[in-house]
Amino acid sequence: MSAQQEAGRGVGDVAAHHVLVLGAGYAGTAAAVQLAARARRRQDVRVTLVNAQERFTERMRLHGTATGQQLAELSVPELLEGTGARFVRGWVTAVDADARTVRVDDEQVLHYDTLVYALGGVADTAAVPGAEDHAYALNGAQDAEALAARLATLGSGTVIVAGSGLTGVESAAEIAERHPGLNVVLLGRQEPGAAMNARAGAYLWAALGRLGVRVRSGVEVAKVLPGAVELADGESVAADAVVWTSGTRVSPLAAAAGLAVDERGRVVTDTALRSVSHPDVYAVGDAAAIRQGYGVMHGTCQSGMPTGVHAAVSILRTLKGKRPKPFRFGYYHTPVSLGRHDAVVQFTRPDDSPRRMCLTGRTAARYKETVTASPWPTYGRMKKMPASGAFWPRGGRFTRLSRITRIVGEAR
């Protein structure tokens, strides 16, 4: 082993099984905390979490950051305190799946015995010419703060939100509420709330109307220019700021490392969340193509955290000589903010299709806030009681309706 590889091991614990977690998003943090907490009393397992920054990115709150709202800065190293896990700050620049090494900042090389790949995804600004150079994205706190600074300089003008998915809807609503002097236009191929039931979808549309958001569905942005967007039909729409929320892309590192990936570059996993080509690599969250009975999961916080927990449990089961259990997950809700005091929550079947039940208005907003705030205390509970993070709705049945009912009751 080289001196650089030795940097991934601690003095006196060369024989310890080293689990390296890449990415401290919702899924990666869940994996690191759960694994470290469960292995705390073991001397033969070490956990290292690598992330580009110490600040934890609350992706579910970035639309608030983008409108100048001050949020608490959550620290990843602080969260890991007491677990025995090590934190390494730096950008992952290469993965060598055959040598089982990871290069950080092109300088440090970390060795691993088991890798948890959780590098997540970002807005796909590379999909359309000019978006990378002329549009704002909500990939992290710094991006959101840059957008907030731009919006603060606009007393009037037009802001185009490209992408009519949930991130686009939340961003458009937040901007319109906080900056009523701006003309906010939401552009997208599909109608906002198309996956919701009739009541929830109608409420979402009415809320956008009350906020003055102009919705244009059935359109596609072909190019982003310095002061406008060009649509696929050739129409040019003037814009003082463009917010890009359409599509996601993942890091190319997995494909470059030789891991089996799907057409979007996500790591293809088996039922235990191991790479089908490299079983010593687990993939979780947005970086993984995880197939369930209803198809490949799409990335959300509600699905990301369970994948991280399951990977941690699977790793420890394997080290004990046991077979890891298959991962099963079912969706249970789609909460959408419509400003600070309004929201709609669409409850879903495990395959993410809409149920009849939904919440609207202030009750939904309180529910959404509870959900948004829940990851951080959940990580704290994992440190004290690791098993508390190992329960979630399974793919075959809706097991958490009682919990949702309780939360709704408390919100009322």
Side-chain angles (χ1 to χ4, degrees):
M1 181 181 301
S2 70
Q4 285 183 312
Q5 290 176 337
E6 194 66 38
R9 298 187 181 276
V11 177
D13 59 5
V14 174
H17 188 95
H18 187 205
V19 182
L20 187 60
V21 182
L22 305 183
Y26 292 110
T29 301
V33 172
Q34 184 75 202
L35 184 60
R38 285 176 178 263
R40 187 160 33 206
R41 297 179 181 177
R42 298 181 54 151
Q43 301 298 314
D44 59 342
V45 178
R46 292 186 307 108
V47 181
T48 301
L49 176 59
V50 181
N51 199 55
Q53 57 187 6
E54 295 185 0
R55 181 177 179 179
F56 181 84
T57 298
E58 291 188 278
R59 294 186 70 92
M60 293 188 291
R61 294 185 187 271
L62 288 178
H63 56 281
T65 305
T67 54
Q69 298 171 51
Q70 297 298 314
L71 303 178
E73 292 197 16
L74 308 177
S75 165
V76 176
E78 181 180 327
L79 175 61
L80 295 178
E81 287 181 1
T83 67
R86 175 190 176 206
F87 177 76
V88 173
R89 178 178 179 177
W91 289 95
V92 177
T93 53
V95 176
D96 189 329
D98 295 324
R100 294 186 182 181
T101 59
V102 170
R103 186 175 294 276
V104 179
D105 288 336
D106 286 330
E107 298 176 354
Q108 186 178 16
V109 176
L110 303 179
H111 173 274
Y112 67 83
D113 298 295
T114 299
L115 183 70
V116 179
Y117 189 89
L119 291 180
V122 296
D124 192 7
T125 51
V128 170
E132 194 82 49
D133 298 322
H134 307 304
Y136 293 88
L138 298 180
N139 294 327
Q142 291 182 335
D143 293 337
E145 289 164 356
L147 174 57
R150 173 58 177 164
L151 295 176
T153 67
L154 300 177
S156 61
T158 297
V159 176
I160 289 179
V161 179
S164 54
L166 302 186
T167 302
V169 169
E170 291 189 325
S171 300
E174 201 81 39
I175 293 170
E177 182 180 80
R178 298 284 289 191
H179 299 278
L182 296 177
N183 175 34
V184 180
V185 182
L186 179 62
L187 302 178
R189 298 185 186 93
Q190 296 184 329
E191 292 188 354
M196 295 181 170
N197 66 28
R199 181 187 168 210
Y203 188 88
L204 184 150
W205 272 84
L208 291 176
R210 287 194 300 271
L211 291 168
V213 176
R214 182 187 175 198
V215 178
R216 294 189 59 182
S217 55
V219 300
E220 183 176 353
V221 176
K223 184 182 298 184
V224 180
L225 304 171
V229 298
E230 184 178 302
L231 304 184
D233 63 3
E235 179 186 356
S236 180
V237 183
D240 296 281
V242 177
V243 185
W244 194 265
T245 69
S246 178
T248 59
R249 72 173 188 268
V250 299
S251 169
L253 289 176
L259 299 175
V261 298
D262 69 356
E263 67 283 355
R264 293 175 53 187
R266 298 175 298 181
V267 179
V268 180
T269 72
D270 64 12
T271 59
L273 306 187
R274 296 172 297 198
S275 162
V276 295
S277 61
H278 295 74
D280 55 328
V281 177
Y282 288 74
V284 297
D286 294 352
I290 302 170
R291 181 166 291 280
Q292 297 289 279
Y294 47 80
V296 177
M297 292 169 51
H298 62 81
T300 65
C301 173
Q302 65 174 305
S303 61
M305 291 180 69
T307 64
V309 171
H310 189 85
V313 174
S314 296
I315 291 169
L316 289 179
R317 285 184 63 87
T318 301
L319 292 178
K320 293 177 182 178
K322 300 179 180 180
R323 293 188 63 180
K325 297 179 179 180
F327 177 75
R328 292 177 61 203
F329 175 82
Y331 296 95
Y332 49 99
H333 66 196
T334 302
V336 185
S337 295
L338 298 169
R340 285 301 77 210
H341 304 293
D342 196 6
V344 59
V345 179
Q346 171 69 71
F347 294 104
T348 66
R349 298 181 181 86
D351 64 358
D352 207 27
S353 61
R355 291 178 177 268
R356 294 178 60 184
M357 182 180 178
C358 66
L359 297 177
T360 59
R362 287 183 176 270
T363 299
R366 288 191 287 267
Y367 180 97
K368 176 62 163 41
E369 179 58 29
T370 300
V371 171
T372 302
S374 65
W376 198 251
T378 298
Y379 295 139
R381 286 193 298 272
M382 284 184 191
K383 291 200 293 185
K384 299 178 181 178
M385 299 179 294
S388 68
F391 300 96
W392 54 84
R394 308 293 173 164
R397 52 184 181 160
F398 194 73
T399 61
R400 301 298 276 183
L401 187 58
S402 60
R403 182 183 178 195
I404 288 174
T405 305
R406 174 175 57 77
I407 293 175
V408 173
E410 291 173 354
R412 292 182 186 278

